[in-house]
Amino acid sequence: MAMTSDPKSFNAIIAKETSTTAVTNLIFEGLTRINGVTLKVEPNLAERWEVSSDGLVWTFFLRPDVRWVDGHPFSADDVVFTFNDLIYNDNIPTSSRDAFTVDGKIFKVEKIDDLTVRFTLPVRFAPFSLGMSQEILPKHKLAQAVGEGRFNFTWGIDASPEEIVGTGPYKLKSYLPGQRIIFERNPSYWRKSEKGEQLPFISKIIYVIVQNQDTMLLKFLEGELDYCALRGADYPLLKPEEKKRNFTIYDSGPDFGNTFLVLNQNPGVNPKTGQPFVEPKKLAWFTNVEFRRAIAYAIDKDRIVKILMNDLGYPQDSAMSPSSGFFYNPKVAKYDYDLAQGRMILEKAGFRDRNGDGIIEDPKGQRIEFNLYTNSGSNERVQAAAIIRHDLEGLGMKVNFLALEFNNLVTKLVSTFDWDAAMMGLTGGIEPHFGKNVWASDGQLHMWCPLQESPHTPWEKRIDEIFNAAVQELDENKRKILYDEWQAIVARELPVIHTVLGANIYAVRNKFENLKPTSYGGAFHNLEEIRVKKEYR
Amino acid sequence: MLRYIIRRILVAIPLLFGISLLTFVLIQITPGNFFDSLKLDPQISADTISRYEKLYHLDRPLLEQYFHWLRNLLKFDFGYSFFYNCPVSQVISGRLYNTFILSLASLLLTWLVAIPLGVWAAVNRGRGIDKILSFLSFAGLSVPSFFLAIILLYFASEGKILPLGGMQSINYDGLTQTEKMVDLLRHLAIPTIVISVGSIAALQRIMRGSMLETLRQQYVLAARARGLPEHRVVYVHTLRNAINPLVTIFGYHFSDLLSGAALIEIICSWPGLGSVMLTAVRAKDLYLVMASMLMGGILLLLGNLLADILLAWVDPRIRYE
C-alpha cells in the first residue's frame, strides 16, 4: 500500500492529520466504531451501552476478552485515563477535547468496576456514541509520561516500535522515515470472524511512503504496490491497464466535506485602522442574496468535473456530502448551470451594463469588480477557481483572481477579514453537528461573517436554533428533520456557494477477498476481515 | 596557515548569528504560523489552537522566542518540530545519512566525469568529439531535472532494470551484506544520474574553457618548445593551472551536500532531508527550518574555507598570511 507522506506521530491524541491516523487506526481502537458501509455506530471495545432516560448518563460495558498487545488486560482504568488524564488535561493540546466539550463544559468520566465506565454529560449530546470511537490509550504504558509532563512528545516518530501498545488488529513492527512502515498482525486480537477464525487474516502490511503521485502510479502499475488512491486525472492512464495488470478501479462516490465560493459579508470595522473590512459598495452586493444566487447559476459545475476530474466528480448542492448517508438532504434548491437565468436575476436586481464596457454596474452605477482568492497549495482548486472566474466574467463581473499561500489566506479568513471572495474547502464527516463552528453565527469558521454576538439575519438565527436543538435531540429521525431544514436554508440563502466534490477512487490489485470499498472508510476499512486470495498467498 | 583558518572560523560566528536572526525574523513576520492549518478544521476550537501555540511558546514575543532558541542551541538542542512532534535533531539525523549518500554519489559522479570530459574536449577543440560533447552538455543543461527523473523512472518501470524510486527494496532487511550494498547502489542510480546531469554539463563547459585559456599561455608554449612530451604538458602543467576556478566552485558544491535536491528526492521517493525541509518551509515548521538554514550556512562557510585551502594546495602562488 502507498501513502504520500510520513506519519507525524504514533500518539493518537496529539497528532490527527490523515497520514497519522492512517497508521494509528490500525493500532488503536475506541469503545465504538463506525461501520464503513452502513455508517452506523457499532460496538467495539465496549460490547454494549445504556443511556439513561434523560440522555445524560451513558454507561459502557467493556469486553472482558480484550488485551493490550503486550499482554496487559484492557480495563475501565484505561478508558478513564484516556479521558481524564489525557483528553481533559490542560497541558495536552488535542482536538479530541473539542469533541467532548459542550458549551465549554467537560464530561464526567468514572470507573464503576473493571469493565464498566460511566459518562455523565452536562447536557444531552446526540453525537456522543459516534464520538466514542475515540482511540483508547494504555494507562500502564503512558501514566508515567503524563505524570512527568512528557506526554506531548511521547510516542513520537522516534519511539521504538515495541513501546507503541494498542488493542487494534495490527502492531507496529518497524518504521523507516521517508521509506516504509511495517505492521504485523496482533496475534491476540480479540475479534473473531463469524466462523470463529482468529482475525485479522492478513499477517503483514507494508505502507510505502511515496511522496510523488506519478511515482506512486508507476510503482502500482509495476506491481510493487497493491493499493493506491487515485486522482480523477489519473483515471484515463490506469483504466486501460486494468485487465493486463490485474487490478480494479473502484469509484466509491463523492468525497466528504465542502468546496465552495464564499463572499465576505462582514459589516465590521478594522479596529486598528477604522476602515471597514469590506468596502461598503461591495458589502451591499455580497449581502444581496440575488447577487449570490446569480453567481450560483453561473458556475458551470459540470465543466469543472469534466475538465479537472475526468468526469470523476460530483456537483455539490447540499452542505452535507451525498456520501454522508442518513443526514444528507438531496432535496435542496439546486443551481444547475444557467447563465441566462443568472443574468436575468442580476438584471432584475438592478445590476446591468450601463456604459457598454462589458462590465455590469450596480444600481448606483458602480462597476462590479472584486478579488477572488484561493490557496495556492492545491492545483485542482486553483484551476477550479480560474474556471469560476471565467464563469463570473460571463455574468459581466470583473474578477481579479489571486492564489495566496495557504497560511496567508487562513489569516485573512479567520483574523484580518480583509478579503472579498474566496474559494475554499473544508473537511467534513457524517455528523452535521461537528460542522457547528462553520454554521452557527458565533462560530469562528462562519467565514462570511464570523463571531457574531447575535445572529444578523433571520435565517442565521434559525440555523443557530437548529444546531442547538438537534444536538440535544436523541431521536435520530427528529434530528434528520432539523438538519434537512438547515441544508435547505443554506441552499436557499447561499452564504456559501457550493461547487464540486471529487470522487474517492481507489485502485486495488485483484488479490483480495471481501473488499467493500466505500467513500467514508476507504478501500480497506474492514481490513481485519479481508483475506488474500489463495492463489496469491 | 593555521592562524588564517582560526581567523576564518571566528569571523564565521557573527555571520551565522546574523543568518539565524534574519531567518527567524523573516519566517515569523510572514502571516500565520504552523497551526493555521488547524484553524480551518471545523472540529477544532480556538482554545485548542492556543494550547498548541502555548506548548511551543509561539505566544511569546518574537525576540524572547529567538533568544530562547539560541540559548538551547548552545546546548545543542535544536528545538522541537511542530510537524513531527519530536526533537528536530531526531527528524534530521535519520535523514542526514540518506541525503549525504545521495549527494556524495552525485558529487563523485559529477567531478569524476566532468573534469576528464572537459579536458578531453579542450584538447580536441573543434574536432568531432568536442562538438558532440558540446551538444550533449547543452542538452544536459536544458532538460529540466524533474522531467528527466520521470522519463528515467518510466523506462525503469518498462524495462524492469532499476527500482522505481525509494532507497531500499521492501525485502531489504532479509538481504545479506553484499546484496544490501547492491540494492542500495541500484536505488541510487536514477537519482544520482538525474542530479548529476546538469552539473556535469555545466562543469564540463567550465573545465573546457579554463583549459583552453591555459593552453594559450606562454609557459605552455615554452614547455612544448623545450620538447616536453605532450601528455606532460597537458596533464601536469596545464591541468594543474586550469583547475583553479573549479576548486572555488567545489566549495559551493560542498554546501549542497546536505541541502539535497528536494524535487528529485520527492520524485524518486528518496528519504532525504531536502523533501523534509521543503515541507517544513511550506508548513512554517519554524525550528526545523532554522536548523536547516543553519546547516546550510555552516556548510557554505566550511565549503568556502575548504576551497581556499585546496586552492593554496594546488597553486603554490597563493599564500594566506
Side-chain angles (χ1 to χ4, degrees), chain B residues 28 34 42 46 56 59 61-62 80 83 106 108 113 136 145 150 158 182 221 232 238 246 292 320-321:
Chain B
Q28 295 270 38
F34 176 78
Y56 291 101
D59 53 344
L62 199 69
Y80 275 90
F83 209 25
S106 61
L108 284 177
V113 173
L136 285 180
S145 57
I150 290 177
E158 288 295 301
V182 173
L221 196 65
R232 266 194 78 83
T238 317
L246 280 96
S292 94
Y320 306 109
E321 274 323 322

Side-chain angles (χ1 to χ4, degrees), chain A residues 7 33 38 59 110 138 221 262 287 292 306 332 424 436 500 527 534:
Chain A
R33 69 170 183 177
T38 62
T59 313
E110 303 160 288
L221 285 175
V262 55
T287 50
R292 303 197 294 269
K306 205 179 210 105
V332 298
M424 279 309 302
K436 188 179 178 218
V500 297
L527 184 59
K534 272 208 186 71

Side-chain angles (χ1 to χ4, degrees), chain B residues 16-320:
Chain B
L16 285 173
F17 179 75
I19 292 175
S20 71
L21 185 64
L22 200 67
T23 315
F24 197 87
V25 171
L26 279 179
I27 305 171
Q28 295 270 38
I29 56 175
T30 54
N33 65 35
F34 176 78
F35 298 105
D36 277 354
S37 53
L38 301 181
K39 288 186 183 159
L40 277 194
D41 186 334
Q43 291 195 53
I44 299 181
S45 71
D47 206 33
T48 302
I49 292 167
S50 63
R51 265 176 230 277
Y52 274 111
E53 289 176 350
K54 206 169 143 217
L55 176 68
Y56 291 101
H57 304 292
L58 284 180
D59 53 344
R60 316 296 305 166
L62 199 69
L63 277 181
E64 189 184 321
Q65 287 182 47
Y66 175 71
F67 284 108
H68 186 78
W69 174 78
L70 201 63
R71 246 198 327 276
N72 285 335
L73 188 68
L74 296 178
K75 295 181 243 159
F76 293 100
D77 173 1
F78 290 90
Y80 275 90
S81 156
F82 306 156
F83 209 25
Y84 295 96
N85 303 289
C86 75
V88 166
S89 48
Q90 281 283 352
V91 179
I92 292 181
S93 61
R95 296 175 178 254
L96 204 58
Y97 168 74
N98 303 343
T99 289
F100 186 71
I101 290 184
L102 179 57
S103 309
L104 199 67
S106 61
L107 194 79
L108 284 177
L109 184 69
T110 305
W111 287 79
L112 292 183
V113 173
I115 292 190
L117 281 185
V119 174
W120 195 23
V123 172
N124 295 297
R125 186 186 173 197
R127 298 206 198 117
I129 188 68
D130 184 29
K131 285 179 182 148
I132 292 171
L133 283 174
S134 244
F135 171 78
L136 285 180
S137 58
F138 283 119
L141 276 174
S142 39
V143 176
S145 57
F146 68 89
F147 183 66
L148 188 64
I150 290 177
I151 299 253
L152 287 183
L153 284 177
Y154 176 75
F155 281 119
S157 106
E158 288 295 301
K160 303 201 187 256
I161 323 158
L162 287 173
L164 292 174
M167 184 172 158
Q168 301 166 350
S169 300
I170 285 179
N171 59 352
Y172 184 82
D173 298 322
L175 300 177
T176 65
Q177 210 57 38
T178 344
E179 283 170 338
K180 278 185 180 174
M181 195 67 202
V182 173
D183 188 58
L184 183 64
L185 285 176
R186 277 163 48 85
H187 281 88
L188 257 176
I190 292 180
T192 309
I193 291 172
V194 173
I195 294 176
S196 308
V197 161
S199 36
I200 288 178
L203 215 57
Q204 186 261 354
R205 297 300 298 172
I206 298 170
M207 188 66 220
R208 176 180 176 274
S210 174
M211 198 68 190
L212 283 176
E213 201 187 307
T214 317
L215 279 171
R216 275 196 294 270
Q217 299 289 329
Q218 288 182 344
Y219 58 77
V220 176
L221 196 65
R224 282 189 177 141
R226 289 183 185 175
L228 281 181
E230 185 65 13
H231 68 91
R232 266 194 78 83
V233 174
V234 174
Y235 298 106
V236 179
H237 297 280
T238 317
L239 181 59
R240 201 161 163 199
N241 283 299
I243 211 157
N244 273 7
L246 280 96
V247 172
T248 318
I249 295 173
F250 180 79
Y252 287 103
H253 265 199
F254 189 77
S255 70
D256 292 341
L257 260 184
L258 294 187
S259 57
L263 203 59
I264 304 305
E265 284 184 1
I266 290 172
I267 295 174
C268 297
S269 307
W270 189 264
L273 267 184
S275 52
V276 170
M277 291 309 173
L278 189 68
T279 349
V281 173
R282 293 186 60 175
K284 303 192 75 163
D285 192 347
L286 183 63
Y287 299 116
L288 199 50
V289 177
M290 290 301 294
S292 94
M293 286 302 290
L294 214 57
M295 251 167 30
I298 291 174
L299 279 174
L300 186 64
L301 294 172
L302 212 63
N304 279 337
L305 180 62
L306 202 69
D308 288 347
I309 294 170
L310 275 177
L311 219 50
W313 178 61
V314 293
D315 190 343
R317 286 170 298 181
I318 298 173
R319 283 277 166 267
Y320 306 109

